Amino acid sequence: MKSDYPINDKNSPISIANFNGVGGSTILYSCHFPRFHPSDFKTKSLDNVGEDWPISYNDLKKYYDQNDKIMNVCGLEGDPVYPNIKNLKPNIPLGKAGLKIAKGFNSLNWHWWPSYSAYIYNIKKKFNFERSTANNTYLEKAIKNGVKIKKNSQVVEIALDKKKIAKGVFYLDSSGKKKFEKADIILLAAGGIGTPRLLLNSKSRKFPQGLANSSKLIGKNLMLHPLGYVEGVFKKFLASNIGPEGCCLASHEFYETDKLRNFKRGYSMQVLRGAGPLDTANKLKKLKKINYGKKFHNNFFEFFGKTMGIAVICEDLPNEKNKVVLDHKNVDQNKMPGVKINYRLSENSKNMMRHGLNNAKKILVKSGAKFFYGHGPVRNTGWHIMGTAKMGTNAKKSVVNKFGQCHDVNNLFIVDSSIFVTSGGVNCMSTIQALTLKITENIKLNLKNLLKH
């Protein structure tokens, strides 16, 4: 796409799934919407891995609740792995296939719970699902409050004045003409790769290694959630293709550290519904399970509406060697550098992945499915991109403070997953948005002081 930039991820087993668009990654996501656990914010204290966040789950709870309401999150109250989640919309029904999987979990006495789902859903109209995105929730409110969008424009540099205060941004408009937009406060939300890319590209005499980068940590501690996938086939047609594919149920049975296992922290298992007819046919063709011809329909219906998958979402521990760097040899259409990804799976992640894949297979068999196939890490799953401008109290060891404010530039704030300290073992969208609500509320409360510069 014209608006995207080059990403060289050859030096990574996980390929980056990233694009530029108004509404960000909510424009193309599964809408599975779990929160981080309380333990995710204190992994160093609990398990001696990663680092503790400068905030706790309780600091975010108010904003999780607020965001659930805005994003119309559907779910079921009473989940034992979370403290007191209330006021959810009715959960999306599991369907016959989902109930089968749930029985498998019950037979092993393992935790499972209906998916927390960001959907506008009418329970009286069974198949009426509309995704909750940033566009049809927050953006509509923002435009009503005066936000203006400059379409097909690209920010290429954040500019500073002599006092190390951000004075605005240079951007290229839709015709490619370079312009300057003055700003008293800048909120950066370009994602776990776009944010470090812009900061590293915004060099100056005061910041020769990239804007707000006195810690030398911008781009480092990249976390990607290594993902495994297992799929099973049931004998009878269960209409597993009906309903939102990514929002069935999830298990956090193996989310927390267990000293008996050969890895620290853990993973969640996200149960996925079967694909629609076109995706099913394409996948079966790739796997050489069907061929076009006389037997196509018979072979197709051996699988369609009968498959269920389980995604194993592994917590990724921060490591400074896993990073995003500028790629000056590979530029976008406006001559701005692309990025290179340097990333390796740790032994901890590999052990976690094997454990998760084995347990996902076990669940499918216990549920009555025949094991079909599975592998991990799945390459094209680098959509949870975190940690590249991390939060912390020490300016020498972090990029922003607990309010998303850059230690080096007082009026520059970051409101995306790059400020995550650890990655948790669940989808990160709910936590991104809760953090953003907390950060922007703090800006509003302290606006006079911030404008004194």
Side-chain angles (χ1 to χ4, degrees):
M1 289 176 61
K2 183 180 177 182
S3 60
D4 283 333
Y5 50 85
I7 298 175
N8 181 347
D9 53 19
K10 292 180 181 177
N11 195 28
S12 170
I14 299 173
S15 180
I16 301 300
N18 185 62
F19 73 100
N20 287 340
V22 177
S25 54
T26 63
I27 302 306
L28 184 64
Y29 78 135
S30 72
C31 301
H32 183 56
F33 217 76
R35 302 178 180 187
F36 272 22
H37 285 214
S39 67
D40 287 322
F41 298 90
K42 48 184 180 180
T43 63
K44 184 68 174 179
S45 298
L46 290 173
D47 303 313
N48 198 31
V49 291
E51 291 184 29
D52 289 351
W53 292 53
I55 60 173
S56 68
Y57 177 91
N58 287 336
D59 292 328
L60 275 188
K61 187 180 185 308
K62 165 187 171 183
Y63 306 99
Y64 274 131
D65 293 343
Q66 183 182 351
N67 188 53
D68 282 355
K69 184 176 180 180
I70 293 170
M71 291 295 287
N72 205 76
V73 175
C74 306
L76 183 65
E77 296 177 12
D79 189 346
V81 303
Y82 288 113
N84 202 26
I85 297 180
K86 292 185 176 180
N87 301 317
L88 299 167
K89 301 293 183 181
N91 67 279
I92 295 172
L94 300 181
K96 291 181 180 179
L99 290 172
K100 280 271 191 182
I101 300 290
K103 288 179 180 178
F105 278 104
N106 286 342
S107 70
L108 293 168
N109 198 29
W110 288 357
H111 168 270
W112 68 271
W113 207 255
S115 174
Y116 299 96
S117 311
Y119 268 94
I120 299 165
Y121 165 62
N122 187 336
I123 198 168
K124 294 180 181 179
K125 298 179 180 180
K126 289 185 178 180
F127 309 127
N128 183 21
F129 302 102
E130 180 187 353
R131 293 171 187 261
S132 289
T133 70
N135 284 21
N136 61 20
T137 55
Y138 284 100
L139 189 59
E140 289 181 359
K141 296 176 186 293
I143 290 173
K144 287 179 181 178
N145 286 327
V147 167
K148 295 180 180 179
I149 295 175
K150 294 183 181 293
K151 295 180 180 179
N152 300 314
S153 297
Q154 178 186 6
V155 175
V156 293
E157 182 184 349
I158 298 171
L160 294 184
D161 64 17
K162 294 180 181 179
K163 298 179 181 178
K164 289 188 178 181
I165 299 298
K167 60 182 180 180
V169 299
F170 288 102
Y171 73 97
L172 303 173
D173 67 13
S174 57
S175 65
K177 186 178 180 179
K178 192 172 185 178
K179 294 184 177 180
F180 180 76
E181 183 76 26
K182 185 180 181 297
D184 292 315
I185 296 173
I186 296 174
L187 276 71
L188 180 52
I193 290 179
T195 286
R197 178 183 182 236
L198 179 58
L199 292 173
L200 291 171
N201 195 61
S202 299
K203 294 180 180 180
S204 65
R205 289 184 180 179
K206 293 182 174 67
F207 294 103
Q209 295 179 320
L211 181 61
N213 196 23
S214 64
S215 66
K216 300 179 182 178
L217 288 173
I218 289 178
K220 296 181 180 179
N221 295 300
L222 173 66
M223 297 174 284
L224 293 177
H225 275 168
L227 184 142
Y229 182 75
V230 174
E231 189 169 293
V233 184
F234 292 89
K235 289 182 179 180
K236 293 184 178 180
F237 180 77
L238 297 174
S240 64
N241 57 298
I242 300 297
E245 188 172 354
C247 295
C248 185
L249 61 91
S251 172
H252 293 191
E253 179 69 25
F254 303 100
Y255 197 97
E256 309 291 350
T257 295
D258 185 332
K259 293 180 180 179
L260 297 177
R261 300 198 287 261
N262 63 345
F263 56 89
K264 290 190 175 182
R265 300 303 298 157
Y267 58 88
S268 62
M269 288 187 278
Q270 181 183 349
V271 176
L272 308 171
R273 302 175 198 271
L278 187 59
D279 283 349
T280 298
N282 285 335
K283 182 166 67 175
L284 291 172
K285 191 75 172 66
K286 281 184 179 180
L287 293 172
K288 298 181 179 179
K289 293 293 181 181
I290 59 172
N291 288 306
Y292 298 116
K294 292 181 179 180
K295 295 183 179 180
F296 173 81
H297 287 96
N298 288 338
N299 292 341
F300 174 79
F301 284 109
E302 288 179 14
F303 296 91
F304 179 66
K306 299 178 181 180
T307 63
M308 289 290 279
I310 299 178
V312 178
I313 302 170
C314 296
E315 177 162 354
D316 204 3
L317 297 177
N319 183 333
E320 286 189 24
K321 291 182 180 180
N322 289 334
K323 58 188 177 181
V324 176
V325 298
L326 292 182
D327 186 356
H328 294 277
K329 294 181 180 179
N330 199 11
V331 299
D332 66 14
Q333 74 279 359
N334 294 318
K335 307 303 181 184
M336 184 174 172
V339 295
K340 286 183 180 179
I341 307 299
N342 295 314
Y343 176 88
R344 289 288 179 269
L345 258 68
S346 66
E347 288 303 314
N348 194 74
S349 292
K350 291 176 182 177
N351 292 337
M352 191 186 299
M353 179 68 70
R354 282 190 286 269
H355 191 273
L357 289 172
N358 287 334
N359 280 329
K361 293 174 188 176
K362 187 182 294 185
I363 282 294
L364 288 171
V365 172
K366 283 285 185 180
S367 302
K370 180 181 178 182
F371 170 64
F372 184 18
Y373 77 104
H375 65 291
V378 182
R379 177 156 177 79
N380 295 317
T381 57
W383 42 61
H384 299 165
I385 308 164
M386 300 160 280
T388 50
K390 74 173 185 176
M391 177 189 293
T393 56
N394 188 333
K396 293 181 179 180
K397 297 181 179 180
S398 59
V399 178
V400 302
N401 65 16
K402 66 179 181 179
F403 297 114
Q405 183 180 30
C406 288
H407 293 300
D408 294 343
V409 183
N410 289 337
N411 65 332
L412 175 60
F413 294 79
I414 302 177
V415 288
D416 58 43
S417 55
S418 64
I419 66 175
F420 281 29
V421 181
T422 56
S423 70
V426 291
N427 302 35
C428 46
M429 184 53 67
S430 176
T431 302
I432 293 171
Q433 292 182 329
L435 267 174
T436 301
L437 288 172
K438 178 178 171 58
I439 291 168
T440 51
E441 181 180 80
N442 180 67
I443 292 173
K444 185 177 179 180
L445 292 173
N446 294 282
L447 191 59
K448 288 183 179 179
N449 290 330
L450 288 169
L451 295 178
K452 283 181 180 179
H453 62 258

